[in-house]
Amino acid sequence: MTAFGVWAPGRRRVDLVLDDGRRPMEGRPDGWWEVTVDDAGPGTRYRFSLDDGPPRPDPRSRWQPDGVDGPSAVDDPAGAEWSDTAWHGRPLASSVLYELHVGTFSPEGTFDGVVEHLDHLVELGVDAIELLPVAEFAGRRGWGYDGVLLWAPHHAYGGPAGLRRLVDAAHRRGLAVVLDVVYNHLGPAGNHLGEFGPYFTDRYQTPWGQAVNFDGEDSDEVRRFVIDNACMWLEDYHLDGLRLDAVHAIVDESALHLLEEMAGAVERLSGRLGRTLWLIAESDRNDPRLVAPVAAGGYGLDATWSDDFHHALHAALTGERSGYYADFGTLAQLARAYRHVYVYGRHRSPSRRRHHGRPVSESTPGTRFLGYLQNHDQIGNRAVGERSAALLSPGRVRVGAALVLLAPFVPMLFMGEEWGASTPWQYFTDHEAELGRAVSEGRRREFAAFGWSPDEVPDPQDPATRDRAVLRWDEADREPHASLLAWHRALIALRRRVPDLGGGDRGAVSVDFDEAEQWLSIQRGATRIVVNLAARAQRVPVGPGQPSLLLASAPAALSAGGGVMLPPESVAVLRER
Amino acid sequence: MTAFGVWAPGRRRVDLVLDDGRRPMEGRPDGWWEVTVDDAGPGTRYRFSLDDGPPRPDPRSRWQPDGVDGPSAVDDPAGAEWSDTAWHGRPLASSVLYELHVGTFSPEGTFDGVVEHLDHLVELGVDAIELLPVAEFAGRRGWGYDGVLLWAPHHAYGGPAGLRRLVDAAHRRGLAVVLDVVYNHLGPAGNHLGEFGPYFTDRYQTPWGQAVNFDGEDSDEVRRFVIDNACMWLEDYHLDGLRLDAVHAIVDESALHLLEEMAGAVERLSGRLGRTLWLIAESDRNDPRLVAPVAAGGYGLDATWSDDFHHALHAALTGERSGYYADFGTLAQLARAYRHVYVYGRHRSPSRRRHHGRPVSESTPGTRFLGYLQNHDQIGNRAVGERSAALLSPGRVRVGAALVLLAPFVPMLFMGEEWGASTPWQYFTDHEAELGRAVSEGRRREFAAFGWSPDEVPDPQDPATRDRAVLRWDEADREPHASLLAWHRALIALRRRVPDLGGGDRGAVSVDFDEAEQWLSIQRGATRIVVNLAARAQRVPVGPGQPSLLLASAPAALSAGGGVMLPPESVAVLRER
């Protein structure tokens, strides 16, 4: 016996469409329609027909065995077997995250394919994996940000059962699992949500189409749809946290911002489940309100991505200055990111043509912010999707890794970064012909503005574009990859071993640097990270103490006259005795 | 000698257009254009021509002697004579406000016409007048919310010199002056701002047209335009505060909301001038963040209008339930407004079809909120603009006055309310023919939806509509007006005399009521306001103390068995001994 329900206010008639016919549903005054079917159960396929219109999948479908255009199927989360009953989650502030895309992490491109490589991640030393969105999107290939059935793990990845197996396997290994969820827009194909109710509004615009109606008439149910969805992932799939995509495009002008309401709901869920749960925002707003406590007028999220640190680091290491990297490039900015988190904390941003952000208070721990040298966007939004290892000398790659993994932030790696994967990470999609052509054309046009000729830009629709992104696991054991992997392992182990490095105390951070000589000396308590970015060896001052060397990416030597002698493009970690 | 300047980024050429010809202006890299003219001074008329286009008034014009389509004129604020040097402002929390419209407060419809009646206001006992917007709008008649030259006091009201005379005269009498300013949109006629720069954005919509660009590219100068404007009124016209119109339509998704930035600028100005300055928001958001301190994540404004109290009071007194009054009508809601400020503090609002607002913390003083029985909107947005005195029995009018003037909020009256003016306050405009027809037609259509026939709805464009709104000052001394005026004077005097009533301590407020019997008993410290709204006399309980009668609107009698016997539709104020 299964109870079906759907919110479709303003409809005169809603039918449940099963393989063997239609059942009229009963309308409630609050816009919900309900029917209970005796002989339906796990696996039963169904759709809804609104006012005798074409059958549509359930907006809250838990399973789309045939994709976005097929019927929904009844899932049975309560019947799932779990072996992680002892798991209580872990603190985000002491974790290292690892972002991965299910469809390209393994050749299989499935949840089970991810399981195959979890031991590698345990050996690497990370604490949590963060999955790019898995909610059902059109086609079999894609990054996941075009999801339209937000409650269903993608059928090509292995559906609900596959995701449960992955989370269970991760927890057995002590790994937490975070899922990227997209609440700021829906994908362009297979989105029928607007037929069911006022999920969208024209009062605001987003870069990706219609804004979601979080503050207009009948928005209570839209908010509930999203907050229930967040809680569903965390509860039914035992997930440890969510990464909320592009929250700056969630426009909610009501007195209680959706994110604050969500944080409250997740906090209550955490109490009920007895597990630590994380909410991590992605935002380009540079707004500390996201992670400030509710009592201080904040939204009470656990952490937010910090692109300024990425941009400052990327621009300093690569010398790139196009697009938004025009706002970055100096060591002073990198130092500011280390000290103050935001480089633009109410400073004028040339690329934005306005002042941007606001300062982060000194008392806000650095671990409220994620720090990374690479992520899916920063690689994949390049024309040809080169990773840092393809852009930088081996020395600079090691410097970048150290500056991320020893930062006062929560470090995050992107899959394959740890061994300098040779595979690019390019934008790919699997849309039907017409939309697909538009996407391919749009991509070519976008990069034509930056001087790329059409045949240089990979076609998102070409299956080979996805295939090129699949990690080559055999690389990891071979040079030059193996030694880079060892470097990442050593850095993570060091972060874990040295309390100065593991925490997010920004008060204990001070940074010296010389823009002309291209060195940087970062003090974190009694520990110091010393970087030489110059093409020549040089002595970098390390303060008055008598330090010892903890780790170095190249033969560094303590100098008798004070300081440390660093080879070109290298980093060393010292500890004052 | 006068230095002219204007911000017009992206223009190739800007000319200053004087009566005797054009002077090319010099462009700066920041988009400002400048020229200094030796023989220009106070009174010199000028315009700007952009890329040889038609001459336009100065966006920061201080004076438009011939209206929005005429030239700007140089004003001389530094040369003005003031007699209010000893004035240091007054605290908002202990003030009673009085909203007035310059164009209809006196038959003259000028700033000087207001001066004629200031002594009446002093005798009434109010502390501050709040002027409906005076910034130059198209035509000679209007409420003022269609302003397009935001720096120029309307020429028909008497221009800059007239406003200075009014403020000086008010301050000489101990009256503060607040000005209503509109930063959420510009009027539909005479608005050339978009030709000068990116003042507007299509990313958001407002109910009144294009949203102002407070967070997009080049928004720094747009924010500066508005914040400089706020400071200009306060500094150059010696104003004591601003009422910020409809701040819910100021969409600013950046990390530092315009209102918070403005509050900071006004706080610094207050320090520099050594005067108390008020920022008062009008908002339909029910969001305590507006008045929360910056340290608590608020915007740091001094106060906000509180429509929920108005609606609860109006609906309880009139029995009206149409439009947004559908959300109100019970004594329980009126009691909730007294206790919790917002009736909708995260409750579901039927008329909005969603949850609305958020709770006000107990520690937030009631004097962060304005309370009123009437205001320009609540009267004038009715089809025929009836005031409360035309809708309610004399007894209920007195009850309403008491519930406003003895509330834990900052009370505000609307001009003429104190004597129950017989003049309606209807919507009126003075647009050119085509726009005028559209406005008249729109008004008729709006109220057709509520069952009004076209000839019942006053024509906004008809000069008689404005004329009908002009206060008849001879009424004030005649019955039944004179005794109502005396009642208002007595209530204000009582508020001032009894410390329990003057403050905004909401912790000391408790309310008992009986919905069926239609009585209300409000305790404020040791003082109690007892209301009988029933059509029959009844005994209302007043708690265990031994009270004495301070004031009553009709012969009330302390009852030997406890409580107070109140005539129908009356109110009494008691004090425990």
Side-chain angles (χ1 to χ4, degrees):
Chain A
M1 194 172 79
T2 301
F4 295 88
V6 66
W7 183 60
R11 292 292 183 173
R12 285 167 293 109
R13 176 191 173 100
V14 179
D15 290 296
L16 174 71
V17 183
L18 298 168
D19 286 345
D20 61 355
R22 299 183 166 223
R23 318 280 170 104
M25 301 182 77
E26 192 175 341
R28 293 194 327 209
D30 62 1
W32 278 81
W33 299 77
E34 296 174 330
V35 68
T36 298
V37 179
D38 285 337
D39 57 349
T44 298
R45 303 192 173 204
Y46 69 101
R47 290 189 263 200
F48 297 119
S49 165
L50 307 171
D51 290 339
D52 296 314
R56 301 294 190 203
D58 182 356
R60 293 188 179 220
S61 166
R62 298 299 197 93
W63 185 13
Q64 290 293 123
D66 307 319
V68 300
D69 295 323
S72 304
V74 176
D75 182 36
D76 182 25
E81 286 180 20
W82 291 92
S83 62
D84 67 347
T85 43
W87 177 257
H88 294 292
R90 41 172 305 125
L92 177 59
S94 60
S95 296
V96 175
L97 271 54
Y98 185 96
E99 190 188 29
L100 71 84
H101 175 255
V102 173
T104 52
F105 187 66
S106 71
E108 301 81 8
T110 61
F111 296 122
D112 290 335
V114 176
V115 173
E116 295 298 305
H117 300 286
L118 290 178
D119 290 334
H120 162 88
L121 300 179
V122 172
E123 285 161 33
L124 174 60
V126 301
D127 305 284
I129 55 175
E130 178 174 312
L131 309 179
L132 266 67
V134 304
E136 193 76 36
F137 52 84
R140 297 183 58 84
R141 303 180 305 275
W143 284 15
Y145 297 92
D146 285 339
V148 289
L149 287 155
L150 303 189
W151 297 60
H154 202 281
H155 71 290
Y157 292 169
L163 179 57
R164 286 191 285 261
R165 286 192 299 272
L166 168 54
V167 177
D168 199 48
H171 285 174
R172 275 204 306 272
R173 288 165 177 84
L175 292 171
V177 185
V178 177
L179 178 64
D180 196 338
V181 287
V182 185
Y183 296 137
N184 57 73
H185 77 288
L186 268 83
N191 171 16
H192 304 293
L193 221 44
E195 297 173 26
F196 285 88
Y199 284 90
F200 301 100
T201 177
D202 293 325
R203 286 175 296 118
Y204 314 118
Q205 289 180 13
T206 84
W208 311 285
Q210 277 194 299
V212 180
N213 172 30
F214 289 122
D215 59 6
E217 289 189 353
D218 296 313
S219 55
D220 285 354
E221 272 296 341
V222 180
R223 297 168 74 100
R224 193 176 142 192
F225 179 82
V226 161
I227 291 171
D228 283 358
N229 180 265
C231 292
M232 179 277 294
W233 290 117
L234 295 167
E235 179 165 11
D236 290 355
Y237 290 95
H238 295 202
L239 286 167
D240 298 284
L242 300 173
R243 181 263 192 191
L244 308 167
D245 181 64
V247 298
H248 51 269
I250 294 176
V251 185
D252 177 4
E253 290 279 306
S254 77
L256 178 65
H257 195 282
L258 175 81
L259 295 177
E260 182 184 342
E261 187 176 2
M262 182 183 292
V266 168
E267 192 180 352
R268 287 190 297 276
L269 181 65
S270 170
R272 182 160 67 77
L273 298 178
R275 285 197 282 124
T276 302
L277 301 174
W278 310 334
L279 284 181
I280 304 169
E282 183 216 12
S283 170
D284 81 351
R285 191 84 38 86
N286 284 15
D287 190 352
R289 192 185 295 280
L290 289 167
V291 295
V294 169
Y299 296 160
L301 304 181
D302 296 282
T304 174
W305 286 32
S306 178
D307 275 356
D308 273 20
F309 173 63
H310 170 271
H311 296 348
L313 182 57
H314 180 93
L317 292 177
T318 63
E320 291 182 3
R321 298 291 181 276
S322 69
Y324 45 70
Y325 293 128
D327 292 1
F328 297 89
T330 66
L331 293 185
Q333 289 172 316
L334 185 53
R336 199 195 288 170
Y338 251 82
R339 278 288 294 120
H340 303 289
V341 184
Y342 293 141
V343 176
Y344 290 89
R346 210 65 202 168
H347 304 77
R348 187 170 196 287
S349 155
S351 78
R352 294 170 192 269
R353 300 174 59 103
R354 61 172 172 80
H355 277 65
H356 181 53
R358 70 188 286 160
V360 176
S361 73
E362 197 74 8
S363 62
T364 305
T367 44
R368 293 269 177 219
F369 303 87
L370 266 56
Y372 35 83
L373 172 62
Q374 308 185 50
N375 66 40
H376 73 278
D377 259 335
Q378 300 304 333
I379 304 171
N381 289 337
R382 306 175 66 86
V384 298
E386 316 97 310
R387 293 158 171 273
S388 300
L391 297 169
L392 297 172
S393 70
R396 286 185 176 240
V397 170
R398 281 162 174 75
V399 169
L403 288 174
V404 166
L405 290 168
L406 307 182
F409 311 122
V410 170
M412 184 175 71
L413 302 174
F414 181 68
M415 60 177 198
E417 175 176 354
E418 68 274 26
W419 75 76
S422 69
T423 45
W425 166 253
Q426 300 164 341
Y427 186 63
F428 53 86
T429 53
D430 182 24
H431 289 303
E432 49 75 30
E434 191 176 349
L435 177 58
R437 270 192 299 275
V439 168
S440 299
E441 182 47 43
R443 186 84 182 169
R444 282 194 292 268
R445 212 169 31 237
E446 180 185 347
F447 286 101
F450 290 89
W452 293 85
S453 73
D455 55 343
E456 286 174 314
V457 179
D459 181 357
Q461 286 284 101
D462 183 351
T465 306
R466 174 264 169 191
D467 293 347
R468 274 194 298 275
V470 176
L471 289 181
R472 296 189 190 147
W473 284 90
D474 56 328
E475 287 180 348
D477 301 325
R478 289 204 313 260
E479 288 305 331
H481 306 288
S483 60
L484 184 59
L485 176 57
W487 175 243
H488 281 87
R489 283 185 185 149
L491 288 168
I492 294 173
L494 186 68
R495 181 182 184 88
R496 209 169 299 291
R497 203 174 77 228
V498 179
D500 280 342
L501 297 174
D505 180 3
R506 291 168 43 234
V509 175
S510 70
V511 187
D512 296 314
F513 61 90
D514 187 314
E515 208 81 64
E517 302 298 337
Q518 288 284 290
W519 61 255
L520 198 67
S521 178
I522 300 164
Q523 193 179 344
R524 297 199 59 199
T527 307
R528 189 175 283 271
I529 305 139
V530 193
V531 172
N532 175 21
L533 282 177
R536 59 178 185 84
Q538 65 177 323
R539 198 173 63 86
V540 179
V542 294
Q546 283 195 304
S548 62
L549 207 56
L550 292 179
L551 189 68
S553 67
L558 294 168
S559 174
V564 58
M565 196 69 199
L566 285 180
E569 304 189 323
S570 72
V571 53
V573 186
L574 313 170
R575 186 164 176 81
E576 283 168 23
R577 276 177 295 211
Chain B
M1 193 171 80
T2 302
F4 295 88
V6 66
W7 182 60
R11 291 292 182 174
R12 285 167 292 110
R13 176 191 173 101
V14 178
D15 290 295
L16 174 70
V17 183
L18 299 168
D19 285 346
D20 61 355
R22 296 180 168 226
R23 317 281 170 103
M25 301 182 78
E26 192 175 341
R28 293 193 328 209
D30 62 0
W32 278 81
W33 299 76
E34 297 174 330
V35 68
T36 299
V37 179
D38 285 337
D39 57 350
T44 298
R45 301 191 174 206
Y46 69 100
R47 289 190 262 199
F48 297 119
S49 165
L50 306 172
D51 290 339
D52 296 314
R56 301 295 190 202
D58 183 355
R60 291 188 181 221
S61 166
R62 297 298 197 94
W63 185 13
Q64 291 292 122
D66 307 318
V68 299
D69 295 322
S72 304
V74 177
D75 182 37
D76 183 24
E81 285 180 20
W82 290 93
S83 63
D84 67 346
T85 43
W87 177 258
H88 293 292
R90 45 172 302 125
L92 176 59
S94 59
S95 297
V96 176
L97 270 54
Y98 185 96
E99 191 188 28
L100 71 84
H101 174 255
V102 173
T104 52
F105 187 66
S106 71
E108 301 83 8
T110 60
F111 296 122
D112 291 335
V114 175
V115 174
E116 294 298 305
H117 300 286
L118 290 179
D119 290 334
H120 162 88
L121 299 179
V122 173
E123 285 161 33
L124 174 59
V126 301
D127 305 283
I129 55 175
E130 179 175 313
L131 308 178
L132 266 67
V134 304
E136 193 75 37
F137 53 84
R140 298 184 57 85
R141 304 179 306 275
W143 284 16
Y145 296 92
D146 284 340
V148 289
L149 287 156
L150 304 189
W151 297 60
H154 201 281
H155 70 290
Y157 292 169
L163 179 56
R164 285 191 286 260
R165 286 193 299 272
L166 168 55
V167 177
D168 198 47
H171 284 175
R172 274 203 305 273
R173 289 165 176 83
L175 291 172
V177 185
V178 177
L179 178 65
D180 196 337
V181 287
V182 185
Y183 296 137
N184 57 72
H185 78 289
L186 268 82
N191 171 15
H192 303 294
L193 221 45
E195 298 173 26
F196 284 87
Y199 284 89
F200 301 100
T201 177
D202 293 326
R203 286 174 297 119
Y204 313 119
Q205 289 179 15
T206 84
W208 310 284
Q210 277 195 298
V212 181
N213 171 31
F214 289 123
D215 60 5
E217 289 190 352
D218 296 312
S219 56
D220 284 354
E221 272 296 340
V222 180
R223 297 168 74 100
R224 194 175 140 192
F225 179 81
V226 161
I227 291 171
D228 283 358
N229 179 265
C231 292
M232 180 276 296
W233 290 116
L234 296 168
E235 180 165 10
D236 291 354
Y237 290 95
H238 294 203
L239 287 168
D240 297 284
L242 299 173
R243 181 263 194 192
L244 307 167
D245 180 64
V247 299
H248 52 268
I250 293 176
V251 184
D252 177 3
E253 289 279 306
S254 77
L256 178 65
H257 196 282
L258 176 81
L259 295 177
E260 182 184 344
E261 187 176 1
M262 182 183 293
V266 168
E267 192 181 352
R268 286 189 297 277
L269 180 65
S270 170
R272 182 160 68 76
L273 299 178
R275 287 197 281 124
T276 302
L277 301 175
W278 310 334
L279 284 181
I280 303 169
E282 182 217 12
S283 170
D284 81 352
R285 190 85 37 86
N286 284 15
D287 190 352
R289 191 185 294 280
L290 289 167
V291 296
V294 169
Y299 296 160
L301 304 180
D302 296 281
T304 174
W305 287 31
S306 179
D307 273 357
D308 273 20
F309 173 64
H310 170 272
H311 296 348
L313 182 56
H314 179 94
L317 292 177
T318 62
E320 292 183 3
R321 297 290 182 274
S322 69
Y324 45 72
Y325 294 128
D327 292 1
F328 297 88
T330 66
L331 294 184
Q333 289 171 317
L334 186 53
R336 199 196 288 169
Y338 250 83
R339 278 288 293 120
H340 303 289
V341 184
Y342 292 140
V343 175
Y344 290 89
R346 209 66 202 167
H347 303 77
R348 189 171 195 284
S349 154
S351 77
R352 294 169 192 270
R353 301 174 59 104
R354 60 173 172 80
H355 277 67
H356 181 52
R358 71 187 286 158
V360 176
S361 73
E362 197 75 8
S363 62
T364 305
T367 45
R368 294 269 178 218
F369 304 87
L370 265 57
Y372 36 84
L373 173 61
Q374 307 186 48
N375 66 39
H376 73 278
D377 259 335
Q378 300 304 333
I379 304 171
N381 289 337
R382 306 175 68 87
V384 297
E386 317 97 310
R387 294 160 172 273
S388 299
L391 297 169
L392 297 173
S393 69
R396 286 185 176 239
V397 170
R398 281 162 174 75
V399 168
L403 288 174
V404 166
L405 289 169
L406 307 182
F409 311 122
V410 170
M412 185 175 71
L413 303 174
F414 181 67
M415 60 177 199
E417 175 176 355
E418 68 273 25
W419 76 75
S422 70
T423 45
W425 166 252
Q426 299 166 339
Y427 186 63
F428 53 85
T429 53
D430 181 24
H431 288 303
E432 48 74 30
E434 191 177 349
L435 178 58
R437 271 192 299 275
V439 167
S440 299
E441 182 47 43
R443 186 84 182 169
R444 282 194 292 267
R445 211 169 30 238
E446 180 185 347
F447 286 100
F450 290 89
W452 293 84
S453 73
D455 54 345
E456 286 175 313
V457 179
D459 181 357
Q461 286 284 101
D462 182 351
T465 306
R466 175 261 168 193
D467 294 346
R468 274 194 297 276
V470 176
L471 289 182
R472 296 189 192 147
W473 284 91
D474 57 328
E475 288 180 347
D477 301 324
R478 289 202 315 259
E479 289 304 329
H481 305 289
S483 60
L484 183 59
L485 177 57
W487 175 244
H488 281 86
R489 283 186 186 147
L491 288 168
I492 294 174
L494 187 68
R495 182 183 183 88
R496 209 169 297 292
R497 204 174 76 226
V498 178
D500 280 344
L501 297 174
D505 180 3
R506 292 169 42 236
V509 175
S510 70
V511 187
D512 296 316
F513 61 90
D514 188 313
E515 207 82 63
E517 303 296 337
Q518 287 284 289
W519 60 256
L520 198 67
S521 179
I522 300 164
Q523 192 179 346
R524 296 198 60 197
T527 308
R528 189 175 284 272
I529 306 138
V530 193
V531 171
N532 176 20
L533 281 177
R536 59 177 185 85
Q538 66 178 322
R539 198 174 63 87
V540 178
V542 295
Q546 283 197 304
S548 62
L549 205 57
L550 292 178
L551 188 68
S553 66
L558 293 169
S559 173
V564 57
M565 198 67 198
L566 284 179
E569 304 189 323
S570 71
V571 54
V573 186
L574 313 169
R575 186 164 177 81
E576 283 168 23
R577 277 176 295 213

